Amino acid sequence: MERTWSRPGPALDLLLKGGRVVDPGEGIDEVQDVLIRKGKVAELGTSLEAPGGVREVDARGLLVLPGFVDLHTHLRTPGREDEEDLDTGTRAAAAGGYVAVFGMANTDPVVDTAALLSGLVDRARREAVVPAGFFAAVSRGLAGEQLTEMAELAEVGAVGFSDDGQPLATAQLVRRALQYVKLTDRFVAVHAEDASLVRDGHMHEGAVSARLGLGGMPSIAESIDVQRVLEVAAYEDGRVHLCHLSAAASLEHLERAKKAGVRVTAEATPHHLTMTDDEVASLESTLKMNPPLREESDRAALVKALKSGLVDCVATDHAPHAPEEKDVPFEEAPFGTTGLETAFAALYTGLVKKRALPLGTLVARMSAGPAAIAGIAPPAVRAGARADLCVVDPEAVWTVARDGFQSRSSNSAWLGRKLTGRVRLTVAAGRLAWEADA
Amino acid sequence: MAKRDLISMEDLSREQVELLLDTAESFLPVLERDIKKVPTLRGRTIVNLFWEASTRTSSSFDLAAKRLSADTLALKASGSAVEKGESLKDTAITLSAYGPDIIVMRHPSAGACQVLSANTDASVINAGDGKHQHPTQCLLDLFSLRQTFGRDLSGMKIWIVGDILHSRVARSDIMGFQMLGMDVTLAGPPTMMPRGIGEMGVGVEYDLGRLKEADVIYLLRIQQERIKAGANFLSSLREYSRLFGITTARLHPHQRVMHPGPINRGVEIGADIADDEENLIAHQVFSGLAVRMAILYRTIVGYSDVSSGGEVL
Ligand SMILES: [Zn+2]
Ligand SMILES: [Zn+2]
């Protein structure tokens, strides 16, 4: 069953010479040449020669990694192609080392019918530079009332079901969704939030919001809903995925549920893993997201959970916004930061280089971890596998700049920041999807 | 040279605050003359950009600018660009065409001054942004305190009573009072006390049991809308005033009361207290003009002549 689609292109022939291959799924961390023939990894070895006509790339000093998978992207298509479309969104993905991305359903119109989803699939076949897949909504129009036709949507290829952008309003809706999704082999992805506790909220509630006079979004707004969703999932034995966890208390609920055998997976974003609410003092609207940047104790708990595997994967929650929407006072700005093009560098800089997370673990959480949840073959640097990989310069230091994005939007929380690690080349579905200017 | 904005009390050092207050003091004789005008800012342009109604603050700034002989331009939310849906960024760019030296802005949203500042060469003075900051109110409060109690305010105990959560004045005042060495305690219902505010180094009280410790009591305006169904910050004004209203019976003779105005007689403040000349409320209004003159003046000429003791005339 296909869950991603991309536009056709020539199958790649390439020899990556002398790179450090890090693929925890294959148990590899060593310098290897990687020969790609006809879009597949043909061979790994120490002194491979490029066959006639095959281009050779000097990868000495570079990392060769299984490509990343993003389970949580807002591709803004259909409806807001001025912010992102399938072409720019997947170009951004490619530039970030991603070989598959999954778009959320809160578009305009909402992805809630098989006809609409089929239309998106067709567009992906024409426009997507790296394979793109799609969530369908849990409720029609995200109205929180009537379920979508999940069985048909799954047949067309929905990766899962989500009303992301907003929580599932009632426990009854959580319950019905987790019951009904069993008609498919998919899952329900939940944006956990008790809406009544975040009304008029603009940032994490704590000492920083008190000082700034901004309405607070308390961490209990997330953890209360996480607990509710997990109780329903346990009761119904439904398969649930928790989006963008941010609060330490949510992780405690998650840990208890996993121990009890609840079928739950969870993701964390690069921004929640590397930034805290202290940053918000600048009132930069790019730092306004939902869930909000939280406290250092939350961030540290999140990193620990990612390391242990309690949190299964990294997901960007890439949320492009038009400049006129974000060039407004913090209190008036919409939530969201872009993330595809900075994810690896942000985590490499903020966690790996600071020895908070081993490189292999980061790779696993960005690649095989999300692939398993999505139900796609995990990208692997293995002879015989389809070529889904990226080449990263771990020494490259760069400053995130407004004009440096492939994405149509530039509302990045990392604007102006210096990051280490840059994706040089991405091969997705056996095709060259991205190559940085040398 | 980077332009000088006054968005938050955090933009000022203690020395700069002292200099501003000294400068304000030196303007007082001007305000007592027959011709209350000095040529100090002749040829300068000051724009008042008010996206929220506030007759008192906008007229105070307007008059301060005129006393300094600056050209002024006032834009109010109603009837101007705002109604046509022009964004703050576009307004900033449009206004910049006039080459203003200073834009004084009031805006309902925190972060508005940063957006304005990023899109104009003019210095930005925050006349209140959302619940974030109101530094000029804080400076005039400090001025009133200093005129009443002398230059050294350190060790004085001041209680800020009321709706701390929704008050930009409270946030600026906490910073300003602490900067001059005062001991700050906040009192009010728990629903109106922002979680984590204690980390600013203030005492937090949910009743007035220890109010007698205060030298000065700073009251905040209670707004009717906080009682609306669904908001539930207060159950009733009656209960608020029973628990937190300042009446003569609650005051010790040595205690002085302040209020940023406009007051709600019979809610947060007893009518007799509001009218008592011993309190600082009228003085706060009076201070506004001299302090805002000092802020406009220092924003344009700078803070570098600390050694001169702030003499400007
Ligand atoms: Zn979400
Ligand atoms: Zn999202």
Side-chain angles (χ1 to χ4, degrees), chain A residues 199 205-207 209-215 281-283 327-332, chain B residues 10 88-89 107 109-112 114-115 131-132 171 194-197 199-200 230:
Chain A
R199 225 171 10 174
E205 179 174 278
S209 66
R211 190 180 181 88
L212 290 173
L214 285 169
S282 68
L283 293 177
D327 279 351
V328 297
F330 189 92
E331 248 181 297
E332 296 170 12
Chain B
E10 288 170 309
L88 173 56
K89 181 178 172 178
H107 197 282
S109 301
Q114 281 80 356
V115 173
K131 301 178 279 297
H132 176 227
R171 259 169 282 276
R195 185 183 175 85
I197 194 79
E199 291 189 31
M200 290 184 81

Side-chain angles (χ1 to χ4, degrees), chain A residues 72-74 104 106 164-165 191 243-244 267 290 317-319:
Chain A
H72 192 145
T73 307
H74 293 276
M104 278 297 171
N106 63 336
D164 180 60
H191 167 124
C243 296
H244 46 55
E267 69 189 33
N290 181 13
D317 200 3
H318 177 82

Side-chain angles (χ1 to χ4, degrees), chain B residues 98-123:
Chain B
Y98 300 113
D101 297 279
I102 295 177
I103 301 176
V104 177
M105 181 167 75
R106 168 161 297 184
H107 197 282
S109 301
C113 292
Q114 281 80 356
V115 173
L116 176 63
S117 184
N119 291 288
T120 179
D121 292 330
S123 287

Side-chain angles (χ1 to χ4, degrees), chain A residues 44 62 97 143 155 180 183 190 212 251 291 294 310 320 336:
Chain A
L44 273 72
L62 306 183
E155 283 162 27
Y180 201 75
L183 293 173
V190 178
L212 290 173
L251 300 171
R294 299 207 188 268
L310 176 64

Side-chain angles (χ1 to χ4, degrees), chain A residues 28-41:
Chain A
I28 307 176
D29 182 352
E30 59 194 284
V31 172
Q32 293 266 286
D33 303 334
V34 179
L35 178 64
I36 298 166
R37 295 299 311 257
K38 293 188 179 131
K40 284 189 167 184
V41 177

Side-chain angles (χ1 to χ4, degrees), chain B residues 62-289:
Chain B
D62 191 50
L63 198 55
K66 291 196 163 95
R67 291 275 187 269
L68 294 167
S69 305
D71 298 322
T72 61
L73 184 65
L75 288 177
K76 294 213 169 59
S78 55
S80 77
V82 184
E83 279 183 338
K84 286 175 247 153
E86 189 179 72
S87 73
L88 173 56
K89 181 178 172 178
D90 290 331
T91 304
I93 292 167
T94 309
L95 278 180
S96 296
Y98 300 113
D101 297 279
I102 295 177
I103 301 176
V104 177
M105 181 167 75
R106 168 161 297 184
H107 197 282
S109 301
C113 292
Q114 281 80 356
V115 173
L116 176 63
S117 184
N119 291 288
T120 179
D121 292 330
S123 287
V124 173
I125 295 177
N126 181 5
D129 61 336
K131 301 178 279 297
H132 176 227
Q133 281 276 314
H134 195 353
T136 69
Q137 174 72 42
C138 171
L139 287 161
L140 74 84
D141 291 339
L142 292 174
F143 187 72
S144 285
L145 283 163
R146 229 174 60 157
Q147 296 296 106
T148 308
F149 297 102
R151 296 179 65 89
D152 184 11
L153 301 175
S154 60
M156 279 189 73
K157 291 183 165 44
I158 189 161
W159 278 46
I160 305 176
V161 179
D163 184 358
I164 311 293
L165 185 68
H166 297 97
S167 175
R168 55 193 170 207
V169 173
R171 259 169 282 276
S172 288
D173 275 354
I174 292 168
M175 293 172 184
F177 295 160
Q178 289 179 335
M179 212 182 274
L180 297 195
M182 298 177 81
D183 185 77
V184 182
T185 297
L186 310 177
T191 46
M192 294 179 149
M193 198 63 74
R195 185 183 175 85
I197 194 79
E199 291 189 31
M200 290 184 81
V202 293
V204 174
E205 300 282 336
Y206 299 135
D207 62 59
L208 299 183
R210 294 172 52 227
L211 186 70
K212 60 178 182 300
E213 295 172 6
D215 299 306
V216 179
I217 301 162
Y218 195 107
L219 302 180
L220 299 172
R221 179 178 167 79
I222 292 294
Q223 287 172 313
Q224 185 77 40
E225 69 190 72
R226 306 297 172 215
I227 305 167
K228 276 189 312 211
N232 275 329
F233 291 106
L234 288 177
S235 53
S236 69
L237 289 183
R238 182 179 158 277
E239 179 141 296
Y240 179 84
S241 83
R242 201 170 64 79
L243 297 174
F244 296 99
I246 300 297
T247 54
T248 312
R250 275 200 163 120
L251 280 184
H252 283 247
H254 74 280
Q255 293 179 313
R256 294 290 171 267
V257 175
M258 299 177 79
H259 193 301
I263 60 171
N264 289 316
R265 284 170 195 261
V267 181
E268 71 266 3
I269 186 166
D272 48 341
I273 296 176
D275 296 331
D276 185 346
E277 304 258 317
E278 286 291 296
N279 290 316
L280 279 65
I281 299 170
H283 194 283
Q284 287 172 274
V285 178
F286 164 78
S287 301
L289 188 54

